[in-house]
Amino acid sequence: SRFSNALPPMPAKKLWGSQDHAVVAEREVGLRHYLDGVFQVDTEVQTPALRVFIQSPRRYTAQVVGHAIVQGHSLLESGHTMYTIKVTNPHGKTWDIRKRYSDFSDLDPRLRTSLGQGLPPLPPRWTYGNQDPEVIAERRAGLEQYLNAALRMDRELVNIAL
């Protein structure tokens, strides 16, 4: 390519000791130097491979993509809303899960225990009117914000609750 002669050398891959903290630190410095050199050569990120590399998600993401209203089984039970959540892993693989608000409500105290208070609040619980389109739209946005905040805080998904 047009940049290959100007690029710094890629740090050598270590076959032994890759778990050793000193080796990891040395490799991190080498990779940082390499990327700094890449961005000095391709200052406007014109190389397609570089553009894809820096734009690819390096964490899990979640998007609330839909919902379905599930009717209650009796006159006393009004039903509930199931939210469809599209989950994307760091490699771009996606799958859908379906959860209701009470699942998030159950998850929240466990996440706050392990991740701290940096999470945004869950959208408010509604006893009546929870199937109103405006309430559902607000709740969808709030649940998506909540999930992505948790995923940003726990990038490696070490929290079993997630």
Side-chain angles (χ1 to χ4, degrees), residues 64 66-69 78-83 100-101 104 122-144:
V64 182
H67 70 278
I69 296 174
S78 66
H80 60 273
T81 304
M82 292 293 291
Y83 296 92
R100 55 190 289 184
Y101 182 86
F104 288 93
L122 279 174
R125 177 173 225 114
W126 293 82
T127 305
Y128 300 102
N130 62 352
Q131 295 177 4
D132 179 89
E134 285 184 34
V135 170
I136 291 172
E138 286 178 26
R139 191 174 269 178
R140 280 177 63 172
L143 293 174
E144 187 172 312

Side-chain angles (χ1 to χ4, degrees), residues 7 40 75 111:
L7 290 176
Q40 285 175 4
L75 292 175
L111 287 181

Side-chain angles (χ1 to χ4, degrees), residues 34-81:
Y34 175 77
L35 284 174
D36 286 347
V38 168
F39 287 116
Q40 285 175 4
V41 172
D42 190 0
T43 57
E44 296 182 19
V45 191
Q46 296 299 313
T47 309
L50 181 58
R51 195 173 310 132
V52 168
F53 179 78
I54 65 172
Q55 290 179 350
S56 65
R58 293 292 179 215
R59 62 179 178 85
Y60 284 81
T61 59
Q63 181 181 11
V64 182
V65 296
H67 70 278
I69 296 174
V70 179
Q71 296 303 319
H73 299 295
S74 69
L75 292 175
L76 298 175
E77 185 184 14
S78 66
H80 60 273
T81 304

